[in-house]
Amino acid sequence: MSFFNPILTGGLTLAASLAVSTIAFAASPAPAAPAPAAPAGSDRITNPVAEFAGIDKITGRIITFDVYIDETVQFGALQVTPRVCYSRPQNEQPKTDSFVEVDEITLDRKIRRIFTGWMFAESPGLNAVEHAVYDVWLKECKQKSDVPAPDAGKSGATKADGAKADASKPAATKPKPPVAPDAAQPDDAVEPATTDTN
């Protein structure tokens, strides 16, 4: 019986320690439940304007320019066309990305696609367009821009063309600049008198 006595005592000690740890675990406060994860893309904001930055490696100038979604803007020999631009609300971790297509106008006037993919504003070096002369990367997505929208630009161009046409109508009635009396005028500067023979 001396052989079973240490095993029995060891078993009782083990059982007692398990009981104490179970009671201590049950008495401890329950851990806070993790916050339910929001479905992916639920808080994503679709923006009408993508802001890009580009560098001309020859001059060293960095230029920031806005491009409306599905509009193509030329930067040097590159044509940049964003298809979508997503951002997050201000109270969340920023995740700004845009799906962009970039074409290059070659020296023989052909257009060659050099980039199609996602650009990330928080990691500009991840998918930036690297060209021999120009680099382009996404800076942010915006709701508004100082640049007029493509539709507004077309209506503005129509108004500008109309204004030019109106300005060209009274061209015959423009006053001539005054001529100094002592300045000699060439003979061909005199306009011939026109008569109506009808």
Side-chain angles (χ1 to χ4, degrees):
M1 198 134 164
S2 65
F3 173 73
F4 291 109
N5 195 14
I7 293 176
L8 184 61
T9 308
L12 287 175
T13 306
L14 179 64
S17 65
L18 282 174
V20 170
S21 64
T22 304
I23 292 170
F25 180 73
S28 66
S42 67
D43 293 338
R44 180 165 73 174
I45 300 171
T46 303
N47 298 285
V49 180
E51 181 179 345
F52 293 92
I55 185 169
D56 182 338
K57 296 178 186 176
I58 295 174
T59 62
R61 288 188 336 165
I62 296 177
I63 299 172
T64 302
F65 55 97
D66 292 347
V67 185
Y68 285 86
I69 300 302
D70 293 329
E71 178 190 16
T72 301
V73 170
Q74 187 162 345
F75 172 67
L78 303 181
Q79 292 181 336
V80 181
T81 308
R83 298 298 178 189
V84 293
C85 199
Y86 298 124
S87 61
R88 298 280 179 166
Q90 294 291 335
N91 58 355
E92 292 187 20
Q93 180 181 1
K95 291 181 182 176
T96 306
D97 53 353
S98 178
F99 188 81
V100 183
E101 297 171 348
V102 180
D103 298 324
E104 176 189 22
I105 302 172
T106 61
L107 294 175
D108 54 352
R109 302 260 181 219
K110 293 183 181 175
I111 296 177
R112 178 176 61 111
R113 176 73 41 96
I114 62 170
F115 179 83
T116 300
W118 290 94
M119 288 186 180
F120 306 98
E122 287 74 34
S123 302
L126 186 61
N127 278 351
V129 176
E130 295 182 12
H131 182 264
V133 179
Y134 306 101
D135 286 353
V136 176
W137 62 93
L138 177 67
K139 284 189 70 177
E140 67 175 314
C141 295
K142 303 192 299 189
Q143 288 292 323
K144 296 179 183 177
S145 174
D146 294 338
V147 178
D151 298 337
K154 290 177 184 174
S155 63
T158 306
K159 289 179 183 177
D161 293 342
K164 287 179 185 174
D166 292 342
S168 64
K169 285 181 184 176
T173 61
K174 285 185 179 177
K176 294 183 181 180
V179 179
D182 58 343
Q185 294 181 354
D187 293 334
D188 59 350
V190 177
E191 293 183 17
T194 57
T195 58
D196 196 75
T197 56
N198 287 348

